Amino acid sequence: MLRLSQFPFKTLKSAPKVSDNHSTSLLLQGGYIRQAMAGAYEFLPIGHRVLRNIEQVIREEMDAAGYHEMLMTILTPREMWEITGRWDIPEYFKVPGWGDTEYRIAPTNEENVTPILGEFIQSYKDLPTCVYHIQKKFRNEKRAKSGLLRGREFIMKDAYSFHASREDFDKFYADVKQVYLRCFERLGLGADTVIADADGGAISDMNSHEFQTYLEVGEDIIVSDSSGYCYNLELASGIPDDKNSSEEVRLMEYIDTVPDIVNMEKMTKYFGAPDWQMLKTVIYKLQDSWKYVGVVIRWDLDVNEIKFGKFIRNIYAESFMLASEADLETLWTVRGFISPLKDSQLQVEFYGDESLKTVKNFFWGANTLAKSTKNVNIEDLDIKEFWDFSEPKEWFLSRNVSGEKLVFKRASEVGNIFHLGTKYSKPFGLSFTDENNQLNDVVEMGCYGIGVSRLMGVMAEYFMTERGIMWPENIAPYTHYIIVMGEEHISRAEELAWSLETQGYSVILDDRVGRKDGFGQKAGDCELWGIPNRIVLSSKTLEQGGYELLTRGGESKIVGL
Amino acid sequence: MLRLSQFPFKTLKSAPKVSDNHSTSLLLQGGYIRQAMAGAYEFLPIGHRVLRNIEQVIREEMDAAGYHEMLMTILTPREMWEITGRWDIPEYFKVPGWGDTEYRIAPTNEENVTPILGEFIQSYKDLPTCVYHIQKKFRNEKRAKSGLLRGREFIMKDAYSFHASREDFDKFYADVKQVYLRCFERLGLGADTVIADADGGAISDMNSHEFQTYLEVGEDIIVSDSSGYCYNLELASGIPDDKNSSEEVRLMEYIDTVPDIVNMEKMTKYFGAPDWQMLKTVIYKLQDSWKYVGVVIRWDLDVNEIKFGKFIRNIYAESFMLASEADLETLWTVRGFISPLKDSQLQVEFYGDESLKTVKNFFWGANTLAKSTKNVNIEDLDIKEFWDFSEPKEWFLSRNVSGEKLVFKRASEVGNIFHLGTKYSKPFGLSFTDENNQLNDVVEMGCYGIGVSRLMGVMAEYFMTERGIMWPENIAPYTHYIIVMGEEHISRAEELAWSLETQGYSVILDDRVGRKDGFGQKAGDCELWGIPNRIVLSSKTLEQGGYELLTRGGESKIVGL
């Protein structure tokens, strides 16, 4: 039982203004959290209970799935990170010890879990296995956002699985999706949480999925259609709208223009044509071979560098960077007028976005200052291959459902799952003996994260009302809130509170007395903290025969004491 | 339910040799823990359950006492530590961020909790209040011990209380002792855990107590008598044995000796007298005023520098260091021959240990090389004050119970409590309005620690048997261990396991089959993990009518399925 008369963590009269989002303001106002420094939050008693309730739901689902809970270290030795080549990632903290010793406070625990399991996994009988822990992680974020969404210190549930084969991993990975969906269902987010195909980013180039909860203030955009297609915008794909592809192809002409028509406004004005009838070309230099590659797209669309990067890495296994002015000079072209015209024979390998096929008779540059072309068509260009490089726009059509427009929705990431392959098991030398007693050194791994403190922020945003945070009943910090009006009724209220606690409920007893602690204040705190059952005990309710009980979404009624 | 056939964290055949203590070997053998690096341990699934059970007992007692659980940050901003003057403590980690930013991963959380409560405490009605959290802490130990007793990373329960007056603090402090004793009682350590008066060390110069559990391998020595007197040896006090104090006082004489009689062996041989009839003198220089102070004691006893330091700081409020050879030269004396003879008039303020009164006619130096004295008595010396500066020996008598010898016992610290006074509340500017609406800026604080991971180490040592760790029933990782003999009985055992889990028990189902997994292996693991209820299900037990149940300390019996 929490007696508010003895609780110093009072709610604030008004919500502190926080730039990023309103839920953080509410969490601050409600005394749930307090900022210790940019990106690191203290969980005050009320917030701590919410956090633990969220944790508990996740733990129960992990346990039910047969994953083994453990607790890995936060301090980790430098050597482990050198083995995986991740020691020098600038977003990961380094902690100096005595002498030359350096440690890392872990941002993720592959460097712990892989050598641990390496010691214990001996035979195929030990596989598959999955372990998890719930613990704080640390990232040296350059700019930490306010609130719980992206911190320097945050709580993660991270699970790691180990498999004797890719098939076994795939089966397990499919199961994890269901385990995760059950978690989010039990957290009340089920209706608005989807699984989006996602880019593995720095962690993995392999299969990965994000669990995204639709939220107006979400930091991601999820693109979907009615077929079940669901992608993070970073990787989404759709059919660009047809513009004038049925128009007759005209003969290309070179025209003199002026040097400064290098932005859209000036070009549309100069040519008297819409933006989609112009093109843009971006040239990149490969990091190792110094070869140049270019991508060509309609000017009203944007190149998705992640897609283009994957495409290029599939061919060259190299990273790339934007070509500099000096690079363009050696190529005999000029920024603003770059064009893969067959005539120009640039030493660049050009790839075209499919959107080029939706337009006829483009206007374009001619690789010389103040020289342009008109009526440019695909036949005039030196394009090695067409592919989907564009970032879909809201008017793009689905590739799966004929004639259907893609749906764009903002969302916040609440979980992610990755295929790690042998990225960690190889360097740590994991192996096992198979059914035929042969040594097998290919151990497939997966990792599965849920940001627990982030989830609390997302849930605050999702369940926020005008007056508080309407936590799901299993997550609310307490189940019952007893408002006592009149000092003379406190002992009866206390009895009631004890009796409820005996029944397994958790109770806030608002036994505050004093000028400032009227009914409004008390009812307000009850809403701010999202307590699902509100009880009022006063002379009036006693006259009516007991106390007033207002359950969430229900009618208030008098219950006999 | 934990099915061992699907559990990779197997126990080891034999206990790995660890220098410090046998319980660490058992914890490693049992797959409870694994060393990630010196001073930082991974808690594997079995060990994690033990840890959480210990945590839960502590949490329940804290909650029952009305302390509020919260969760503070691990990363803390440098500025907070500068406010309290603790930024440059070398045993506390510093963590570089971007640019010049530096953080600390907290070794203790006064620098979090004080400013937090400073925001919330407004009136005397908010006091007293006590908050706690259970979280990892970090210390940059130069040499980390193996095992869980002293790590670079460890789990602490730390509580902090805030008070409107010293009287209120004292009352609260007495209550905390009872709360702590209940914790250790519930953890099965009650019979051997005592409260020892202790030095606050670096944290506090004020009142502090240690909770010490008697253990043969304990790192501390606890000195007690039958009156309830109980002190850490560091601070203990007793009556030195009388040697020859009834002997007749003889006249002091200077004698020529030799330069090299500066160790006990040579002196006793040279003078033909016992060690207690010689003296030792240690000279210190005060850090600020450069004044010299000396302490004189019987040579068979040791000066307790903590006691002497407290005594000197009470007079001079300064720290001190050992005088160097150069210092001694300026004082006109020589190491090995230093003596506070009235004749010598050294510029040193000498204090004498009370043991000097138990001996007559000492042998001693004369502040010149190869010059000594004999028949030295107190009257010949320039001693400013006599006081108790000695570290008690096992033959010392109690000061409280006449004629009783002090009892010395090895113990391990499991908790400590401190009076912090206003050491933190002052620099963070805490204040409150009192009953008369006056601002009061004296907020008394206390802090109360229990090393949770250390406790697991101490308990492992305490409950260790030849074959495993006999955890108390409420701490054991599981309540039941089912040994199935014969693959054909696994499904019945599984039913039994489910039925026990439904009743609220936690069950290990040892369903391993195979050559190496015979009864001996299974029964051994059950003991290594200290599971209190062992069930055997085999063709034989089924013939006898069900399964065999062996409860701890009980007789085995057959129970019908």
Side-chain angles (χ1 to χ4, degrees), chain B residues 140-157:
Chain B
N140 191 10
E141 297 287 347
K142 254 202 168 136
R143 261 169 237 90
K145 283 199 184 176
S146 71
L148 300 175
L149 292 199
R150 190 168 195 88
R152 295 197 166 93
E153 170 171 332
F154 52 96
I155 303 170
M156 276 278 284
K157 185 286 300 172

Side-chain angles (χ1 to χ4, degrees), chain A residues 433-447:
Chain A
T433 51
D434 66 13
E435 287 89 335
N436 307 315
N437 215 23
Q438 299 295 305
L439 197 74
N440 185 333
D441 65 356
V442 180
V443 176
E444 290 280 336
M445 282 177 64
C447 78

Side-chain angles (χ1 to χ4, degrees), chain A residues 34 37 42-43 48 52 59 70-75 98 103 112 119 135-136 140 153, chain B residues 34 37 42-43 48 52 59 69-75 98 103 112 119 135-136 140 153:
Chain A
R34 179 191 179 276
M37 51 177 252
E42 321 272 14
F43 291 88
H48 179 248
R52 282 181 61 91
R59 174 175 291 119
M70 55 190 296
L71 185 66
M72 291 181 253
T73 62
I74 287 175
L75 274 184
W98 291 103
Y103 309 111
N112 293 66
E119 274 186 30
Q135 185 164 256
K136 288 201 172 158
N140 191 10
E153 170 172 332
Chain B
R34 179 189 179 276
M37 51 178 250
E42 322 272 13
F43 291 88
H48 179 249
R52 282 181 60 92
R59 175 175 290 119
E69 186 170 7
M70 56 189 296
L71 186 65
M72 292 181 253
T73 62
I74 288 175
L75 274 184
W98 292 103
Y103 308 111
N112 293 65
E119 272 185 33
Q135 185 165 255
K136 287 201 172 159
N140 191 10
E153 170 171 332

